[in-house]
Amino acid sequence: MLKNLLLLVISLLVLIFFESAQQYYYIDAFDLHPKGTIVTFGEILNLQLVWWMVWSAVAAGFFYYLFNHPIENFNGRSLLRLSGLVVTTFLITVLIYALIQVLKSGGEVSVIEVVIFKVFQKAPISLIAYSFMAIMVHLYLNKREFEVLVENMTTLEDEMKEIKESQSIKVLSTKIGDSRQVIKLDEIMQIEANDYCVDVHTSGGKKYVMRTSLKTLEKKLPAYFFRIHRRHIVNLNFVQSVNSNGISEVTLKNNEKVQVAKSRIKEFNAALSI
């Protein structure tokens, strides 16, 4: 922030020096000095410093007003309001500068004279500058609103994931004879489709057959289970490596290799990076 402010001040000082040098060149080259006097570069530089100090102070107030009274949409009515605001701000700048010059000169120049001169001299660049500032503020505020919207959507997505995980099943169970076998989720390495059933493979090397479908289980299992293929769901906690050379496949911690469908590669890589 301090670095940007310093850069802005330096840029403004360079602009003031350039404008002063330009005006002094025209006055000296075309002999535009007032009768009986010689205008020095220092005098012109002083006038430019006063002008840009007033301009900067008014611009700060202009910024403050725009941030607290933002333009919602650029339509005919808002553009008319913006145009009036820009012109009014410029006239306020000119009037304050004129009053300062009248006080400094001891009444040798009138407010009207200074105002007319400055309007002709500074109107184009000042009106463009104030309009540009207004557009930049509008774009910045819209960007912030968009970022807040994205942030809220991300938060909502995270909350939905938490709700889904809280509603997920904690164990699988399958009937073996007259009893039911409970299978802990953190022991399941992969689940493989097998006709109208699925084979549940555990880290202990056991296989259990369940009469259900991968589609049904996919909806119930927590987020660390990922369907990498139409025939396979793997537990991401048991993924040892991913090979993307040619046919993409994962190697599980028991060194078994399972192919990843091309349509699932991007989502699978994203799931691994979370």
Side-chain angles (χ1 to χ4, degrees):
M1 180 66 180
L2 184 60
K3 184 179 178 180
N4 292 336
L5 184 61
L6 182 62
L7 184 62
L8 181 63
V9 171
I10 292 173
S11 301
L12 187 59
L13 290 174
V14 170
L15 175 64
I16 292 170
F17 184 85
F18 175 78
E19 270 205 307
S20 301
Q22 185 185 48
Q23 286 187 23
Y24 180 72
Y25 170 78
Y26 285 128
I27 290 172
D28 196 55
F30 297 100
D31 194 21
L32 299 176
H33 298 279
K35 290 182 180 180
T37 60
I38 298 295
V39 178
T40 66
F41 176 75
E43 290 173 332
I44 295 175
L45 183 61
N46 179 266
L47 291 172
Q48 287 293 334
L49 281 169
V50 172
W51 166 258
W52 284 106
M53 285 175 64
V54 173
W55 189 92
S56 299
V58 176
F62 185 63
F63 260 117
Y64 180 81
Y65 179 86
L66 289 173
F67 270 102
N68 288 277
H69 302 83
I71 299 169
E72 300 296 337
N73 297 298
F74 273 107
N75 51 38
R77 185 175 179 180
S78 63
L79 286 175
L80 185 63
R81 173 194 160 201
L82 177 60
S83 300
L85 180 62
V86 167
V87 171
T88 302
T89 303
F90 171 65
L91 291 177
I92 290 172
T93 307
V94 171
L95 185 59
I96 293 173
Y97 174 81
L99 290 172
I100 292 173
Q101 293 308 313
V102 170
L103 292 174
K104 285 179 67 178
S105 67
E108 292 183 8
V109 294
S110 69
V111 172
I112 298 298
E113 288 175 335
V114 178
V115 167
I116 292 174
F117 176 75
K118 276 298 175 184
V119 165
F120 279 100
Q121 184 190 40
K122 296 290 187 180
I125 186 66
S126 293
L127 293 175
I128 291 171
Y130 283 131
S131 300
F132 179 77
M133 287 163 57
I135 293 170
M136 288 300 100
V137 170
H138 173 73
L139 293 176
Y140 173 80
L141 292 177
N142 275 11
K143 179 175 178 289
R144 283 295 306 138
E145 288 180 7
F146 178 73
E147 288 174 347
V148 170
L149 178 61
V150 171
E151 186 177 337
N152 290 338
M153 289 177 66
T154 303
T155 302
L156 180 61
E157 184 179 356
D158 291 340
E159 290 175 354
M160 292 297 291
K161 283 183 179 178
E162 290 178 4
I163 293 172
K164 181 181 177 181
E165 289 182 3
S166 67
Q167 294 176 342
S168 299
I169 56 175
K170 306 300 180 184
V171 295
L172 294 182
S173 66
T174 184
K175 189 174 182 181
I176 301 177
D178 295 328
S179 63
R180 298 198 70 83
Q181 176 68 44
V182 175
I183 312 166
K184 294 181 180 178
L185 295 186
D186 57 4
E187 294 178 355
I188 299 173
M189 296 188 71
Q190 66 157 312
I191 305 171
E192 182 182 6
N194 184 3
D195 291 332
Y196 296 103
C197 300
V198 296
D199 295 335
V200 180
H201 300 267
T202 69
S203 56
K206 295 182 179 181
K207 182 178 78 171
Y208 299 96
V209 178
M210 291 182 62
R211 193 169 183 80
T212 185
S213 67
L214 285 185
K215 185 175 181 180
T216 301
L217 286 179
E218 187 181 11
K219 295 177 181 178
K220 297 179 179 179
L221 289 168
Y224 57 87
F225 280 90
F226 190 88
R227 189 168 185 175
I228 62 173
H229 192 274
R230 63 185 180 85
R231 291 182 53 82
H232 293 278
I233 292 176
V234 297
N235 185 335
L236 297 179
N237 296 323
F238 285 98
V239 173
Q240 182 171 278
S241 63
V242 181
N243 180 16
S244 299
N245 294 326
I247 298 175
S248 295
E249 59 183 12
V250 299
T251 301
L252 301 177
K253 290 186 177 180
N254 63 350
N255 292 322
E256 185 177 348
K257 300 182 185 299
V258 184
Q259 185 179 341
V260 183
K262 288 184 179 179
S263 60
R264 303 291 288 164
I265 291 174
K266 187 175 180 180
E267 287 183 57
F268 177 60
N269 288 333
L272 284 177
S273 64
I274 295 176

